[in-house]
Amino acid sequence: MVETIQWTEQGVVMIDQTRLPCVKEFVTCRTYQQVADAITTMVIRGAPAIGVAAAMGVALGVLHASESALDSEFETICSTLAATRPTAVNLFWAIGRMKRLYASLRLRPIDEIRAALVHEAQQIYLEDIAINRAIGALGAPLVPDGKTVLTHCNAGALATAGYGTALGVVRAAIEAGKQIDVFADETRPFLQGARLTVWELQEDNIPVTLIADSMAGHFLHSGRIGCVVVGADRIARNGDVANKIGTYGLAVLARENGVPFYVAAPVSTLDLTLDSGGRIPIEQRPAREFTAIFGAPVAPPGTAVENPAFDVTPARYVTAIITEKGVARAPYETSLPALLSPPEDSK
Ligand code: MRU
């Protein structure tokens, strides 16, 4: 499986997701500013991968920060990374975890602080892979055998430290012996489906067919699709789900055609501080990502463009939310907080 991101002696190494699938190239970020830039420009993308990158960025920043002004440099490092992309709550979750560790250690010797932050970032990376495998194990039984799974964007190994969330469910279903294949929406405008999902599934010899976003209704109506599985960038307390633009339309089409619509995400994607999805900040991306493909214009110069990167799917369209801690179903106001509370016998 592809290595999305790695901590190395030289710095944080990422596969450049802006260049796949034409060019397989790795970039090395040697400063936290370079990590922030890689997140903003989507060299690395996908909610869990953004979280891992941010944690590594914090660790990298502290490695190079001066001892005399560590507190203020730490604040600058965290605020720079937090300003990269607004929607995926995993970014803020990971920075928050690094901040809490720093706060508990800030009076310790600098070498100890640095070692602990590097270790924590590596832990977040390792935990993410284990979490995705757990999501896969819980999601696999929900996937109908002998049918096609429809997915949107890329919620795979490339969007995480490895294995993937939505594509983790696909991988686990296949590992469990199910005969399934995948339809990947191309995912306009950034083409994460065509460029990334198709590429990563082909790398793993998982049968995949590319469709244009506008074909989803046609295939959902055909009876071929057993379920839709997508990832998420932020899930509100009531179960509303922010995910890649186009997810909402897909969920409505799935409901219309009686096809289950599953969201696969770690609990770090839950934002229980927000009562509904209307309060989730939606990132607006630059027009050029839309008006040109690989630099070639596909609209007249000066075209007015709206480019929201995410939409919010109301909870009523979500059949279930598959997390590493369990599968939540409506009413989400009770099922989602229950995932985060400790089991009865450990209270
Ligand atoms: O803009 P992107 O490519 O970062 O958007 C990614 C998505 O919308 C994914 O579906 C989501 O982050 C979940 S990734 C496991």
Side-chain angles (χ1 to χ4, degrees):
M1 203 162 40
V2 61
E3 280 284 1
T4 307
I5 181 166
Q6 270 180 297
W7 179 271
T8 72
E9 295 275 295
Q10 290 69 43
V12 181
V13 177
M14 305 169 185
I15 192 164
D16 186 345
Q17 299 193 34
T18 63
R19 306 205 63 198
L20 284 171
C22 307
V23 181
K24 187 177 171 185
E25 190 175 81
F26 291 85
V27 297
T28 303
C29 301
R30 294 184 166 81
T31 65
Y32 77 87
Q33 292 96 334
Q34 288 173 347
V35 173
D37 197 48
I39 296 172
T40 306
T41 57
M42 293 170 68
V43 165
I44 190 157
R45 31 67 49 201
I50 290 171
V52 173
M56 290 186 178
V58 172
L60 198 57
V62 170
L63 272 190
H64 302 302
S66 64
E67 188 172 355
S68 55
L70 194 55
D71 276 352
S72 72
E73 284 195 37
F74 185 80
E75 268 314 305
T76 307
I77 293 164
C78 291
S79 58
T80 304
L81 287 158
T84 50
R85 297 192 71 190
T87 305
V89 76
N90 309 62
L91 173 75
F92 309 100
W93 170 86
I95 294 171
R97 186 161 152 177
M98 299 299 277
K99 275 185 174 174
R100 284 191 296 280
L101 181 65
Y102 178 78
S104 72
L105 292 170
R106 52 182 282 277
L107 301 177
R108 307 292 304 164
I110 181 87
D111 287 344
E112 192 182 318
I113 297 173
R114 287 180 171 144
L117 289 173
V118 170
H119 180 261
E120 189 74 354
Q122 287 172 316
Q123 262 315 107
I124 290 174
Y125 166 92
L126 290 173
E127 284 170 20
D128 188 58
I129 298 173
I131 285 167
N132 294 332
R133 288 197 174 270
I135 291 171
L138 289 169
L142 302 174
V143 175
D145 201 359
K147 295 276 219 174
T148 298
V149 174
L150 175 58
T151 192
H152 190 66
C153 193
N154 172 267
L158 286 166
T160 62
Y163 202 70
T165 56
L167 297 189
V169 171
V170 167
R171 287 191 166 94
I174 291 173
E175 284 162 22
K178 289 193 171 170
Q179 301 291 321
I180 56 168
D181 69 332
V182 175
F183 269 23
D185 277 356
E186 67 172 349
T187 317
R188 278 289 278 154
F190 208 67
L191 301 174
Q192 290 94 330
R195 297 189 302 104
L196 307 176
T197 295
V198 173
W199 181 80
E200 97 163 57
L201 292 179
Q202 284 177 349
E203 289 284 296
D204 276 4
N205 294 314
I206 295 174
V208 56
T209 302
L210 175 64
I211 63 167
D213 299 357
S214 50
M215 297 171 189
H218 171 79
F219 286 110
L220 282 162
H221 188 66
S222 73
R224 175 174 180 162
I225 311 292
C227 66
V228 178
V229 189
V230 298
D233 284 81
R234 199 185 287 228
I235 301 172
R237 193 179 183 88
N238 69 345
D240 290 351
V241 173
N243 190 50
K244 179 51 53 194
I245 192 77
T247 303
Y248 172 35
L250 198 56
V252 176
L253 285 166
R255 168 61 53 86
E256 165 70 14
N257 290 286
V259 176
F261 182 89
Y262 296 117
V263 173
V267 295
S268 56
T269 304
L270 301 180
D271 186 349
L272 302 186
T273 68
L274 302 184
D275 54 5
S276 77
R279 297 186 52 218
I280 298 174
I282 300 295
E283 178 183 14
Q284 304 295 319
R285 299 285 304 176
R288 64 174 180 279
E289 287 180 357
F290 198 2
T291 53
I293 297 180
F294 282 117
V298 291
T303 300
V305 166
E306 291 280 350
N307 189 12
F310 303 96
D311 58 26
V312 176
T313 299
R316 64 180 177 279
Y317 294 111
V318 179
T319 309
I321 298 174
I322 308 161
T323 77
E324 74 277 25
K325 303 244 186 242
V327 177
R329 292 182 189 265
Y332 292 106
E333 281 87 351
T334 47
S335 62
L336 291 178
L339 293 175
L340 299 182
S341 33
E344 273 308 313
D345 53 11
S346 69
K347 280 182 189 165

